[in-house]
Amino acid sequence: MGQAFLEAHRALGMTGINPNVGCVLVKNNFIIARARTSPGGRPHAEENLISKLTKTELKGSSLFVTLEPCAHKGKNGTSCADLISKSGIKEIFISNHDPDPRTCGKGLEILRKSKIKIKPDFLINEGKDLNIGYLTNFSSNRPFVTIKFAISLDGKISLKNKNSKWISNALSRNFGHMLRAQSDGILTTNSTIKEDNSKLTCRLNGLEKFSPLKIIVDRGLKLNNDYAIFKNSKKENLIVYHNTNDQKKIKNYSKNADLIYIKNKKNFLKLILNDLANRKIKNLLIESGTVFSTEIIKANLVDQIAFFRSNKIIGNDGLPFINSLNLKSVSDSINTKVINFRVFDNDIYELRRLT
Ligand code: AOF
Ligand code: ZN
């Protein structure tokens, strides 16, 4: 199943609105095939696996799959659960249930009707970690939210004069682009666009096509059309959430962005995340400045923080990544647990989940 998780991980951010699923086939104690959901979401992982094997190879084998096989028919006229039932596979290990109502329990039911031995809930918690964006979408009606900071060793995101170029090194910055490719959406604010003229694309060779949906929070529609992001976008890949009724601003805004008006100021951020869930954004990456980052963390809408911590000490000449949390005691502070870390030369990448 660990190998199936790896397969699924390789498809993270690349399967469109579909979950990234991985599977491996074992026969006589050897892995004889592995597959994952295709770029864009179809064909599904199990179909990819079964279609490359012969009846003889499949006969008597064991399948490990990260998500309950689907029960609804695709363009191929069949479902993965049906394909598996008729394949000759002897037993199946499944990690997570599929919350999609078209499959939820129904995939297992189809398998039960065949003679296949089923082991559901296999490494279920590890599977949940892998499918966290997909599952959060169904359970909480919002994406799984990761906020990214490139910080100095002492936690500053820039100098007070806003100079933030080259805090982290080139390896860190490349991995930051990998995080973009693995996300379904990337969100920033008008302030960050103004300061950095960000394009929000993945610029790793060969992975450009896996750039996520671009999202700007520009409450007052303050950005003019000259920023790079508007030059390289179209309505399909750039959403701007705002909260102004000013018709002139709406009319004059870039035509390359899909403007979404959210009336409710109090729940503005939560409603944005709900809207993104409805668009099937599973994993959302936020790259924003201190003010917005503090606001969304305080609103309890962030699940994890990706720090790129560099080797530079900036001291009190820098801006913090987060503003005051109005704490009275250390016991009220936000706690995190380490999910992953990597060393990039003299930088350290720390992925920490908020607990
Ligand atoms: C699988 N294996 O690799 C994936 C599955 O738009 P469709 O027809 O592809 O359906 C999308 C649904 O299919 C999705 O919500 C989830 O239930 C399932 N995805 N299922 O058996 C796969 N990606
Ligand atoms: Zn399927």
Side-chain angles (χ1 to χ4, degrees), residues 180 188 192-200 203 228-229:
R180 287 183 176 186
T188 193
T192 299
I193 298 283
K194 264 189 196 159
E195 267 156 36
D196 300 344
N197 201 14
S198 344
K199 297 196 191 80
L200 302 185
R203 294 190 288 281
I229 192 155

Side-chain angles (χ1 to χ4, degrees), residues 44 46 70 80:
H44 285 176
E46 304 90 318
C70 68
C80 290

Side-chain angles (χ1 to χ4, degrees), residues 113-247:
K113 282 188 190 140
S114 68
K115 285 194 189 123
I116 299 180
K117 259 187 13 199
I118 310 170
K119 299 225 171 82
D121 301 338
F122 191 77
L123 293 185
I124 186 170
N125 289 328
E126 291 82 347
K128 275 185 188 155
D129 232 51
L130 175 88
N131 290 315
I132 200 151
Y134 183 63
L135 299 176
T136 305
N137 217 302
F138 281 90
S139 64
S140 313
N141 194 30
R142 68 167 176 82
F144 186 77
V145 177
T146 303
I147 191 161
K148 186 205 109 173
F149 297 108
I151 53 173
S152 65
L153 187 57
D154 51 341
K156 311 293 185 200
I157 54 164
S158 70
L159 290 185
K160 281 183 184 156
N161 67 14
K162 296 285 167 89
N163 182 340
S164 65
K165 273 240 141 85
W166 320 128
I167 283 199
S168 57
N169 68 25
L171 288 172
S172 292
R173 293 198 299 276
N174 276 343
F175 195 72
H177 277 266
M178 188 69 191
L179 295 185
R180 287 183 176 186
Q182 291 177 332
S183 304
D184 307 302
I186 176 165
L187 182 148
T188 193
T189 64
N190 58 309
S191 315
T192 299
I193 298 283
K194 264 189 196 159
E195 267 156 36
D196 300 344
N197 201 14
S198 344
K199 297 196 191 80
L200 302 185
T201 50
C202 166
R203 294 190 288 281
L204 292 178
N205 238 336
L207 293 184
E208 298 89 343
K209 59 179 176 290
F210 298 117
S211 290
L213 174 72
K214 294 171 270 192
I215 302 142
I216 307 175
V217 175
D218 185 2
R219 291 174 223 237
L221 291 181
K222 289 187 181 147
L223 290 177
N224 66 43
N225 299 347
D226 298 335
Y227 293 99
I229 192 155
F230 297 123
K231 305 251 149 66
N232 303 302
S233 300
K234 44 186 193 274
K235 275 188 177 220
E236 291 75 42
N237 61 23
L238 174 61
I239 297 181
V240 174
Y241 288 104
H242 71 96
N243 149 312
T244 176
N245 245 329
D246 187 330
Q247 293 306 313

